[in-house]
Amino acid sequence: MQIGEVAEQTGLSLRTIRYYEEVGLVVPSARSQGGFRLYTQPDVDRLGVVKRMKPLGFQLEEMRELLTILDALSAAEDTDRAEHLDRLAGFHTAAEQRCEELRAQLRIAEDFAGTLRAHLPVA
């Protein structure tokens, strides 16, 4: 599929998708004869992983590392499987911690919104 379809499917902007290509995170699988980027479903899935990592504050290098690990684990022969699984567990722990931090921030924000609401006249 072309980049416009990928943008629509993922909710990412064309600019963001091009940037991820530029930094080597998600490179389109092919180009059309006219030079258009062509993406496969695995490419779209990779973009989905990156999109979900971003709000958790993962850096580009971490995203790249996780994608490499996921690629290796899906390969038929992963000679470093135990090492990759160990590193994947580290990413899982980091994601869980960051989710909890976001939940704490959300609780604070909701409390603040409630405080403001208490000062508004009842309709």
Side-chain angles (χ1 to χ4, degrees):
M1 63 189 91
Q2 291 187 1
I3 193 169
E5 297 171 81
V6 173
E8 189 173 311
Q9 188 174 338
T10 61
L12 294 170
S13 69
L14 298 176
R15 182 178 179 194
T16 298
I17 295 170
R18 287 186 192 110
Y19 174 72
Y20 289 151
E21 176 187 1
E22 181 182 311
V23 297
L25 279 180
V26 180
V27 178
S29 291
R31 293 238 180 208
S32 70
Q33 289 182 349
F36 294 102
R37 295 167 175 85
L38 297 176
Y39 294 85
T40 61
Q41 190 57 50
D43 298 332
V44 174
D45 294 343
R46 288 173 69 84
L47 283 167
V49 169
V50 171
K51 180 181 177 181
R52 291 187 307 256
M53 291 180 81
K54 185 135 178 64
L56 296 177
F58 285 99
Q59 302 299 312
L60 287 175
E61 257 329 295
E62 293 170 309
M63 293 175 185
R64 187 174 289 110
E65 181 183 357
L66 179 60
L67 290 170
T68 300
I69 291 167
L70 294 174
D71 287 345
L73 288 171
S74 66
E77 291 187 30
D78 179 12
T79 56
D80 297 321
R81 185 166 183 77
E83 181 182 330
H84 288 138
L85 288 172
D86 185 53
R87 190 65 189 114
L88 183 62
F91 274 102
H92 175 259
T93 300
E96 288 290 337
Q97 282 179 312
R98 292 172 188 194
C99 285
E100 186 49 46
E101 291 166 6
L102 287 172
R103 285 185 202 100
Q105 288 179 348
L106 180 59
R107 286 189 293 273
I108 292 167
E110 287 174 335
D111 181 56
F112 177 66
T115 300
L116 294 177
R117 188 173 35 255
H119 292 288
L120 293 173
V122 178

